[in-house]
Amino acid sequence: WRAKYKEYNFNTPVTNLLENLTGNQTIVNSHKGYDIMFHISTMLPFYEGNEEETILQRKRHIGNDVVVIVFLEGDEPFDPRAIATHFVHVYIIVRSILNEEGEYEYFLAVANKGTVLSYPPFIPEENFSKKSSVSLGSLLLSKCINAERTALQLPEFQNIRRRTNKQYFAELVQEHN
């Protein structure tokens, strides 16, 4: 569902600080006890007459996510190496394909950085359609959650977490002295 930043508790102080840079609404979802917030490129602010700033700000947010979903139509190619980021560790590619009956089917693929171990749910080989026995939405959300949980166990993220916790603790001590 769509949520306005001011009306939804994202449980993060950063959201409030960046509200003017990230637009005023986003898409959120709950799945298996997890709240998920999406950075949707087309919902991030557009700077009229300043395409470079628009690209920079969008890359700043999406490039700092751990998992990125890329939607493609037809035979558009996607190369994860084209996006320079140290933070994104998993790309989940959803490709829409118009079948012979004129209905859309969806093909899923995953590109992990080499250090990310495999994680469930594993993607079936057949395309997803209205007739699929597996729900595309449920599988996609579960895949995103498990991808992020797996990536966050990597040493580079553990180091970031330690640094952040140390900084928060120092701020708490300073605040209460």
Side-chain angles (χ1 to χ4, degrees):
W1 71 88
R2 285 181 187 262
K4 293 185 178 189
Y5 284 111
K6 290 181 181 178
E7 297 171 2
Y8 189 84
N9 177 13
F10 290 104
N11 198 22
T12 173
V14 176
T15 303
N16 294 330
L17 295 173
L18 298 177
E19 181 177 339
N20 293 333
L21 297 175
T22 58
N24 59 15
Q25 63 179 348
T26 187
I27 301 292
V28 294
N29 203 325
S30 292
H31 184 71
K32 297 185 178 183
Y34 291 91
D35 285 339
I36 305 165
M37 181 189 89
F38 297 92
H39 284 127
I40 310 293
S41 64
T42 55
M43 293 178 80
L44 292 171
F46 178 79
Y47 299 93
E48 192 71 42
N50 194 345
E51 185 178 342
E52 190 174 311
E53 182 67 16
T54 298
I55 292 169
L56 180 67
Q57 290 301 323
R58 289 178 179 187
K59 184 181 181 297
R60 180 172 163 236
H61 295 291
I62 295 171
N64 284 312
D65 289 332
V66 177
V67 178
V68 172
I69 302 172
V70 178
F71 289 94
L72 300 174
E73 294 180 351
D75 294 333
E76 291 179 57
F78 175 72
D79 183 354
R81 296 172 297 187
I83 301 171
T85 175
H86 294 289
F87 216 76
V88 177
H89 277 59
V90 178
Y91 292 95
I92 299 177
I93 297 97
V94 180
R95 182 180 301 280
S96 68
I97 302 165
L98 193 59
N99 67 20
E100 292 154 2
E101 290 92 38
E103 295 178 351
Y104 282 99
E105 293 184 351
Y106 299 92
F107 172 79
L108 257 61
V110 177
N112 296 322
K113 276 195 175 176
T115 55
V116 178
L117 301 174
S118 63
Y119 45 87
F122 299 103
I123 298 171
E125 289 185 25
E126 73 272 359
N127 291 342
F128 290 87
S129 68
K130 290 179 185 176
K131 302 169 193 158
S132 296
S133 61
V134 177
S135 162
L136 173 62
S138 179
L139 185 129
L140 187 59
L141 292 173
S142 293
K143 194 72 174 168
C144 287
I145 291 166
N146 289 337
E148 182 157 323
R149 292 182 68 207
T150 300
L152 290 175
Q153 298 306 311
L154 296 171
E156 54 262 43
F157 287 111
Q158 294 296 319
N159 293 336
I160 291 168
R161 183 178 295 146
R162 270 190 229 100
R163 249 191 340 261
T164 303
N165 288 344
K166 187 176 179 178
Q167 183 180 358
Y168 284 150
F169 184 69
E171 288 172 8
L172 275 172
V173 168
Q174 185 177 15
E175 190 177 299
H176 294 285
N177 276 339

